């Protein structure tokens, strides 16, 4: 235990040395539990632009926390480094540990427990999508005159036409509906015999664009076309959700040139993919300048979750990986670049979450946030632009009532307040609490990628006592989650368990239906796409009603 505490002390000192913390920031001030959101009709702060800005939101896929030049990566990202250095780096920025959850929270401003998507992701064969009663960010921006375009990965469900991007607020859509697929052929298999094409233009398969072009480059070309054809005097919202650097690990040959010295094949391919992505973002920025958008634009860059070490990603020195609630799964690369920022070239260490973009961007666009929309996000523009304190003091990372794999979890372990078999995680001020099974918990240092294959001997692990289902960390002092404080501060554990319980009372039922065999692309012209027909359901319903009526008439005759 003494050795672990010494390590924690050293980690704090290293953070101080690199400017991530000040001594004052280690104080555990009570903080206000209730912070006010920007309400309907309230004027944006002094740092807001004078006219409706062009909004460009770029979402990378599976980019690890370390995998950007300014976090010390060996992978070169000159574009990201320059944009971040001239903008505001978000160094206390959180997303969700997987694709669908992050995307749903970005587009609705709501936690997963308030949309029913709190378990896993939306699978290709599931009759599921972002619930239709949720108002989306592009819908709100359209209300105030924005042209809205999406390019890239959707992954919010498509089993009905009403679930498609063009039905959820986007004027145009060009990209994929699923979570992954081949970067060149745009095909995806979800099991033996369940394979299909996944590239769309608006509501139809984009067979005409099937020219074997690498998706990162193809999406960038589409963005350039949109910017060239739009009038820069009218506001535009561009949501660019790149497929990179998600597996499968594929990249054009020329991007391997600088990384042939990396022995680990997955890391080498990943580096090439990230190099291509960096170049793509440079081309998007050049197009914004060329066509007259840049001076009145806000560019937001974010990863959707942490990296996957087995697929070349690195979250070092954070713990864990994609799919986990350790910091390596949920603490993301993020920054804002804009000529409209007040404090350019600064670092924001205030708490920011992916749900915050919804109210922030709507307020900047001079839109209205309806009173009946129960948001979990906050307007954080003044925090980013002017360096003010964040209105956010807590984050519900998630409560997943289906994932109860912690066999030793119990109500007793949760002091009668919470069943610790349930996978959940919450952050309140400096404190972070995890329950259940948080997922893969190793620290994976850079030297783990030095061999031809992933070498787990290099990984650092902590052997927890058998049956452990509760962890508590002071994230400000211990961002690497090395010192569990749950035994030392039981009162803090109880407070956070009560907060979890309060959140859970507001949760809606989980939406996670079984597979539907009608989803097979073979039944849909070889294409992944909407398969659920409302009229078919109605016909079946009418048929069953008719059958019941006939049955009743027969029974009446028999009785007579």
């Amino acid at each position: 235990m003494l050795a672990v505490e010494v390590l924690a002390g050293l980690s704090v000192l290293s953070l101080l040395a690199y400017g991530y913390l000040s001594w004052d920031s280690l104080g555990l001030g009570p903080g206000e539990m209730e912070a006010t959101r920007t309400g309907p009709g309230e004027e944006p702060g002094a740092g807001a632009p004078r006219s409706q800005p062009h909004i460009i939101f770029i979402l990378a896929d599976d980019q690890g926390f370390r995998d950007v030049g300014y976090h010390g990566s060996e992978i070169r990202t000159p574009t990201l480094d320059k944009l971040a250095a001239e903008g505001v780096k978000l160094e206390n920025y959180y997303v969700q540990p997987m694709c669908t959850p992050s995307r749903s929270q970005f587009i609705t401003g709501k936690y997963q427990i308030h949309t029913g998507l709190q378990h896993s992701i939306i699978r290709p064969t599931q009759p599921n999508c972002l619930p239709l009663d949720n108002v989306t960010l592009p819908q709100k921006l359209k209300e105030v005159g924005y042209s809205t375009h999406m390019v890239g990965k959707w992954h919010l469900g498509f089993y009905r036409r009403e679930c498609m991007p063009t039905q959820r607020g986007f004027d145009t859509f060009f990209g994929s509906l699923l979570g992954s697929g081949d970067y060149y052929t745009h095909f995806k298999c979800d099991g033996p015999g369940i394979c299909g094409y996944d590239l769309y233009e608006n509501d139809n398969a984009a067979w005409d664009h099937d020219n074997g072009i690498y998706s990162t480059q193809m999406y960038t070309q589409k963005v350039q076309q949109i910017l060239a054809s739009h009038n820069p005097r009218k506001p535009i919202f561009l949501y660019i959700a790149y497929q990179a650097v998600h597996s499968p690990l594929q990249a054009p040959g020329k991007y391997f040139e600088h990384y042939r010295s990396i022995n680990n094949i997955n890391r080498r391919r990943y580096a090439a993919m990230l190099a291509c992505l960096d170049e793509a973002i440079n081309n998007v920025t050049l197009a914004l300048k060329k066509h007259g958008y840049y001076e009145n634009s806000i560019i937001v860059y974010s990863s959707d979750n942490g990296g996957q070490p087995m697929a070349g990603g690195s979250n070092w020195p954070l713990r864990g990986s994609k799919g986990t609630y350790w910091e390596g799964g949920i603490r993301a690369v993020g920054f804002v670049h804009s000529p409209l920022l007040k404090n350019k070239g600064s670092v924001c260490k205030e708490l920011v979450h992916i749900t915050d973009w919804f109210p922030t961007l709507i307020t900047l666009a001079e839109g209205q946030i309806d009173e009946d929309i129960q948001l979990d996000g906050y307007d954080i523009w003044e925090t980013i632009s002017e360096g003010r304190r964040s209105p956010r003091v807590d984050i519900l990372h998630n409560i997943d009532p289906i994932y109860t794999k912690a066999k030793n979890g119990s109500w007793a372990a949760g002091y009668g307040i919470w069943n610790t078999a349930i996978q959940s995680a919450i952050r309140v001020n400096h404190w972070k609490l995890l329950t259940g099974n948080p997922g893969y918990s190793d620290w994976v240092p850079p030297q783990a990628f030095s061999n031809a294959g992933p070498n787990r001997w290099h990984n650092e692990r902590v052997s927890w006592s058998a049956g452990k289902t509760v962890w508590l960390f002071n994230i400000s002092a211990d961002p690497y989650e090395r010192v569990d404080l749950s035994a030392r501060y039981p009162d803090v554990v109880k407070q956070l368990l009560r907060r979890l319980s309060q959140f859970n009372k507001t949760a809606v039922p989980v939406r996670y239906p079984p597979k539907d065999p009608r989803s097979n692309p073979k039944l849909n012209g070889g294409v992944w796409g909407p398969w659920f027909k409302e009229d078919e359901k109605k016909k079946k319903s009418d048929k069953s009603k008719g059958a019941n009526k006939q049955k009743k008439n027969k029974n009446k005759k028999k009785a007579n």
Side-chain angles (χ1 to χ4, degrees), residues 30 145 398:
N398 197 26

Side-chain angles (χ1 to χ4, degrees), residues 36-318:
T36 55
R37 295 176 174 85
T38 299
E42 287 182 22
E43 291 295 318
R50 293 175 187 173
S51 62
Q52 290 174 299
H54 303 300
I55 299 169
I56 296 86
F57 193 95
I58 302 172
L59 191 65
D61 201 340
D62 287 9
Q63 183 179 3
F65 182 78
R66 183 173 174 266
D67 295 330
V68 65
Y70 65 84
H71 280 174
S73 177
E74 77 278 25
I75 302 171
R76 302 174 192 178
T77 56
T79 303
L80 297 180
D81 295 350
K82 186 174 188 293
L83 292 175
E86 295 171 355
V88 177
K89 297 173 185 174
L90 306 177
E91 292 300 336
N92 201 5
Y93 173 55
Y94 288 87
V95 294
Q96 297 307 111
M98 287 184 289
C99 307
T100 298
S102 283
R103 290 157 209 274
S104 70
Q105 298 200 26
F106 159 66
I107 212 166
T108 65
K110 295 180 180 181
Y111 291 143
Q112 293 160 258
I113 64 163
H114 296 143
T115 59
L117 300 176
Q118 55 266 57
H119 180 67
S120 191
I121 58 172
I122 294 177
R123 308 286 175 183
T125 55
Q126 280 183 314
N128 195 13
C129 74
L130 179 70
L132 301 176
D133 57 352
N134 282 274
V135 178
T136 67
L137 177 59
Q139 286 171 340
K140 296 301 295 178
L141 294 175
K142 274 174 72 76
E143 287 178 7
V144 288
Y146 273 74
S147 176
T148 58
H149 304 271
M150 179 180 172
V151 177
K153 171 178 163 177
W154 175 238
H155 207 185
L156 288 174
F158 59 88
Y159 79 106
R160 293 169 59 169
R161 289 235 170 245
E162 296 89 339
C163 301
M164 297 284 281
T166 51
Q167 306 300 312
R168 304 312 299 268
F170 288 104
D171 293 329
T172 67
F173 168 65
F174 180 75
S176 63
L177 298 175
L178 277 62
S180 64
D182 191 282
Y183 280 72
Y184 292 97
T185 66
H186 318 298
F187 267 81
K188 165 72 176 179
C189 291
D190 195 55
I194 308 174
C195 300
Y197 185 67
D198 181 30
L199 182 64
Y200 268 73
E201 185 157 34
N202 298 322
D203 295 333
N204 300 302
W207 293 109
D208 293 344
H209 293 274
D210 186 16
N211 301 317
I213 302 173
Y214 186 67
S215 77
T216 302
Q217 296 168 328
M218 180 176 64
Y219 291 156
T220 304
Q221 289 171 12
K222 188 65 177 179
V223 170
Q224 290 168 325
Q225 290 168 15
I226 292 169
L227 291 173
S229 60
H230 183 76
N231 182 355
R233 288 190 292 275
K234 293 181 180 178
I236 189 171
F237 170 52
L238 253 177
Y239 173 34
I240 312 168
Y242 281 107
Q243 181 182 352
V245 283
H246 194 293
S247 59
L249 301 177
Q250 298 170 293
K254 71 173 186 176
Y255 296 100
F256 286 86
E257 288 174 10
H258 296 295
Y259 303 107
R260 300 204 183 278
S261 60
I262 298 177
N263 291 326
N264 182 297
I265 185 64
N266 286 348
R267 184 66 174 169
R268 192 190 320 149
R269 288 171 178 165
Y270 179 96
M273 293 167 76
L274 188 54
C276 182
L277 177 64
D278 188 78
E279 181 185 273
I281 292 161
N282 181 53
N283 289 333
V284 169
T285 309
L286 291 174
L288 289 169
K289 292 177 178 177
K290 178 182 176 182
H291 299 294
Y293 297 90
Y294 178 77
E295 292 303 324
N296 189 35
S297 69
I298 295 170
I299 303 170
V300 181
Y301 182 87
S302 170
S303 179
D304 67 339
N305 46 247
Q308 177 57 270
M310 297 300 286
S314 175
N315 304 307
W316 180 260
L318 303 180

Side-chain angles (χ1 to χ4, degrees), residues 503-523:
F503 270 119
N504 201 39
K505 287 173 185 173
T506 68
V508 301
V510 178
R511 297 167 61 99
Y512 198 74
K515 291 180 180 180
D516 186 339
R518 293 175 297 171
S519 64
N520 194 325
K522 284 182 180 176
L523 307 175

Side-chain angles (χ1 to χ4, degrees), residues 240-470:
I240 312 168
Y242 281 107
Q243 181 182 352
V245 283
H246 194 293
S247 59
L249 301 177
Q250 298 170 293
K254 71 173 186 176
Y255 296 100
F256 286 86
E257 288 174 10
H258 296 295
Y259 303 107
R260 300 204 183 278
S261 60
I262 298 177
N263 291 326
N264 182 297
I265 185 64
N266 286 348
R267 184 66 174 169
R268 192 190 320 149
R269 288 171 178 165
Y270 179 96
M273 293 167 76
L274 188 54
C276 182
L277 177 64
D278 188 78
E279 181 185 273
I281 292 161
N282 181 53
N283 289 333
V284 169
T285 309
L286 291 174
L288 289 169
K289 292 177 178 177
K290 178 182 176 182
H291 299 294
Y293 297 90
Y294 178 77
E295 292 303 324
N296 189 35
S297 69
I298 295 170
I299 303 170
V300 181
Y301 182 87
S302 170
S303 179
D304 67 339
N305 46 247
Q308 177 57 270
M310 297 300 286
S314 175
N315 304 307
W316 180 260
L318 303 180
R319 183 179 187 181
S321 66
K322 172 187 176 176
T324 77
Y325 290 97
W326 302 108
E327 292 290 285
I330 56 177
R331 194 163 181 169
V333 173
F335 62 80
V336 178
H337 177 95
S338 172
L340 307 172
L341 289 165
K342 291 254 177 161
N343 290 351
K344 298 181 185 72
S346 61
V347 175
C348 175
K349 298 171 192 170
E350 293 292 308
L351 201 58
V352 178
H353 186 247
I354 196 166
T355 52
D356 298 332
W357 298 120
F358 184 96
T360 302
L361 298 178
I362 290 172
T363 305
L364 285 169
E366 300 172 11
Q368 297 289 318
I369 297 174
D370 305 328
E371 287 183 11
D372 59 340
I373 299 180
Q374 298 293 319
L375 291 182
D376 296 305
Y378 296 83
D379 177 4
I380 40 89
W381 180 252
E382 290 180 353
T383 301
I384 294 169
S385 180
E386 301 174 36
R388 298 193 186 185
R389 293 300 301 270
S390 173
R392 177 178 285 284
V393 293
D394 60 9
I395 297 173
L396 176 67
H397 293 305
N398 197 26
I399 298 170
D400 185 346
I402 291 180
Y403 196 89
T404 53
K405 292 192 175 180
K407 294 177 182 177
N408 295 294
S410 65
W411 285 95
Y415 300 97
I417 301 167
W418 186 256
N419 181 0
T420 64
I422 296 171
Q423 185 190 60
S424 66
I426 188 171
R427 169 82 177 266
V428 179
N429 293 317
H430 302 288
W431 296 107
K432 177 182 175 183
L433 181 85
L434 304 98
T435 73
N437 180 353
Y440 177 82
S441 63
D442 286 8
W443 293 270
V444 185
Q447 56 266 36
F449 297 104
S450 60
N451 300 313
N455 187 346
R456 294 192 65 179
W457 290 110
H458 289 293
N459 296 359
E460 294 184 59
R461 301 178 189 175
V462 171
S463 299
W464 300 110
S465 56
K468 187 165 182 58
T469 55
V470 178

